[in-house]
Amino acid sequence: MSAISAKRKRAIALLSLTSIIFITLDLQGSASTSVLRGTFGVFFRPIEGVARVITRPVSNAWYGITHYNAVTQENDLLREKIAQQEGAAVAAAASVRLSQELLALNGLPTLAGINSVSAQVIGDSPSNFSQNVEINQGSDSGVKVGMPVMNAAGLVGKITKVFPRRSIVMLITDPEYALSVKVINNPEAASPIIDPEASVPPSSTSTTTTTIPQPQPTSNIPGFTPGTTTLPLTTINVPVSIPSLTPTLTVPNNGALPIRETGILEGRGPSRVPIVRFIDSAQRFGTILPGAPIVTSGGSLSLAPPDIVVGTVSKVTDRLGTSGPILEINLVADLANLSFVRILLYQPITEQVKP
Amino acid sequence: MSIRFIRFISSRWTRLVLVASVLMGFQTTLLNDMRPFGVMAQVMVLFAACAGVIYGAEIGVVAGLIIGLMYDCVLTTPLGLASLVLGATGFIAGAFPYFVRESSWWNKAIAVAVASAVGEILFPVAQALVGLGGWVQWRIFVVAAVVALINMVLAPLLLPIVRWTLKETLIG
């Protein structure tokens, strides 16, 4: 009996030591742990596949019982939203195209210039303490560690582990995730900048009345009523300047343009929304209001290219001194219901493995 | 040679690996989809706790370490972390036979629930110890409570399976 006990104690010591060595190797980024995981996956995937087939009816029944009301409500809401957004999408697509053309004309990087791979989400992390999903594209499709992942709404996360035909995506809400972002703040009351030297007083000024007629609905998109987005019949007084014959210099009104400040977005787990810290409390930036959009900042050391939509500010917590406010973020991507994602084939410099 | 092979096949540890593979299949599919109160049931923690409750601390630790190592291969946390946590869970559950001489099914279920709750709390603590901070939040107590409740319900179903799996030998 004591011999068996000694044997078991040796086994316990050996297994514990193996675990500690594996932890050390994995934290050092050793490839051996990935090889072990990959080898185990080869044997385990068929078992998982069979289990998935067997348990699918039970999973579906569970979803049916627990989510029926939510799904019907969501369907109604989505139908209404689709009708509203179909029209807006046409206008937005035109604006995006114009913006991309302008950026390309000036030699600035755009998302349109980055290739991407579409993937399906095939599983969540089977743990209560990690925020990862598994997708069905891997190194065979050109996916590499560090590449940003987004869905139709916005940024979702980044690739953390790559296998030949699958990858692991760390979601934005994981406490390990941090990303440089921009907050685009619209100044509340932008005062025009007057340059007394540059501006030439107009020779004469008069006031005229302009009537903007209500546009007729012209959309032929089914389910879209453009009446909700058209301007009402308005009468406004516009001061019209009649320039003199002397040359004039136009100074752009910077105060009316959106102002951008950078900060760091940090995930805080599934039960708490991500936050943005280290925003400068510059006077020009003004007060950040809920609803201000958050986009990726880009840059040579950033994890993602610029201007990927991340979310909007939901709450602003001011702090004393120069530490700047903390912003709570409503993510635009619904991370609880991910089905399809897009991997941008953009590997940040910081994630590239040196030969 | 053939006797050795039969011994190896009929060994409790071989059975453990096979049964744990099947349970892990359910863990990564069915239990991954069904999340009551937003918390995933942890059948691997349940298995380690059941092993400890039935066969004592030593078998509980070895079973926990082995199935933990398998579980590590599908998790994204550092390899070996779940192994140590499940080993500790098996050890804690293994204290039960020392305190209760003639146990019934319901006090075994309670012991499994307590060990599961402690094991579930150990996960984020272990993550913090290796530098993966951010998971030690008040939420872990909610997660531990839900996991304990689910495991208490599932324990009477899994205890016979664990008893059969870790039986010393099926031959001779």
Side-chain angles (χ1 to χ4, degrees), chain B residues 20 31 54 83 118 164:
Chain B
L31 300 178
I54 298 171
S83 175
V118 175
W164 174 82

Side-chain angles (χ1 to χ4, degrees), chain A residues 53 158 189:
Chain A
V53 170
K158 67 167 183 174

Side-chain angles (χ1 to χ4, degrees), chain A residues 23-336:
Chain A
I23 291 171
T24 314
L25 287 172
D26 209 355
L27 288 173
Q28 295 294 319
S30 169
S32 58
T33 55
S34 297
V35 170
L36 189 68
R37 279 193 167 112
T39 312
F40 183 82
V42 170
F43 294 103
F44 180 63
R45 292 294 149 200
I47 298 170
E48 194 182 40
V50 171
R52 196 179 293 281
V53 170
I54 293 169
T55 60
R56 190 169 292 148
V58 184
S59 294
N60 291 345
W62 171 264
Y63 269 118
I65 294 163
T66 56
H67 293 91
Y68 181 77
N69 288 336
V71 167
T72 48
Q73 279 175 7
E74 198 180 4
N75 270 345
D76 293 341
L77 200 72
L78 287 174
R79 276 195 200 100
E80 198 182 315
K81 269 193 175 175
I82 286 169
Q84 285 174 2
Q85 291 187 349
E86 265 177 350
V90 174
S95 300
V96 167
R97 190 171 173 78
L98 273 175
S99 159
Q100 284 174 351
E101 278 174 10
L102 198 62
L103 288 168
L105 200 67
N106 289 289
L108 296 169
T110 64
L111 284 183
I114 301 170
N115 291 333
S116 64
V117 173
S118 295
Q120 191 178 3
V121 176
I122 53 171
D124 296 335
S125 170
S127 165
N128 288 308
F129 302 107
S130 65
Q131 285 281 285
N132 297 282
V133 292
E134 193 176 339
I135 56 172
N136 67 349
Q137 297 286 4
S139 54
D140 288 354
S141 309
V143 177
K144 289 177 182 168
V145 169
M147 287 181 169
V149 180
M150 52 194 291
N151 70 355
L155 191 70
V156 166
K158 67 167 183 174
I159 303 284
T160 50
K161 279 192 171 67
V162 178
F163 302 96
R165 287 178 192 170
R166 61 192 181 91
S167 309
I168 305 292
V169 180
M170 180 192 279
L171 301 178
I172 307 178
T173 45
D174 194 289
E176 289 291 303
Y177 192 92
L179 175 73
S180 176
V181 292
K182 288 183 286 197
V183 183
I184 301 168
N185 199 24
N186 280 312
E188 286 172 78
S191 55
I193 297 168
I194 299 159
D195 189 345
E197 289 178 10
S199 62
V200 179
S203 55
S204 62
T205 303
S206 67
T207 301
T208 182
T209 301
T210 307
T211 302
I212 301 171
Q214 183 159 358
Q216 294 302 311
T218 53
S219 172
N220 54 2
I221 300 160
F224 172 57
T225 315
T228 53
T229 53
T230 50
L231 291 170
L233 184 68
T234 318
T235 303
I236 51 172
N237 291 322
V238 182
V240 176
S241 301
I242 301 164
S244 61
L245 292 172
T246 51
T248 58
L249 181 66
T250 309
V251 179
N253 189 355
N254 285 336
L257 293 171
I259 304 166
R260 297 172 178 211
E261 281 294 343
T262 54
I264 302 294
L265 181 136
E266 293 171 358
R268 297 195 300 165
S271 56
R272 293 192 287 176
V273 293
I275 55 167
V276 173
R277 296 200 294 167
F278 308 122
I279 293 283
D280 287 338
S281 51
Q283 200 175 6
R284 181 175 168 267
F285 194 51
T287 309
I288 304 167
L289 296 172
I294 307 280
V295 296
T296 56
S297 66
S300 60
L301 296 176
S302 178
L303 289 173
D307 298 327
I308 299 177
V309 180
V310 177
T312 54
V313 175
S314 63
K315 189 182 168 191
V316 181
T317 309
D318 287 317
R319 293 190 294 176
L320 292 172
T322 55
S323 48
I326 290 179
L327 314 178
E328 288 188 7
I329 307 302
N330 268 343
L331 297 173
V332 286
D334 182 6
L335 302 184

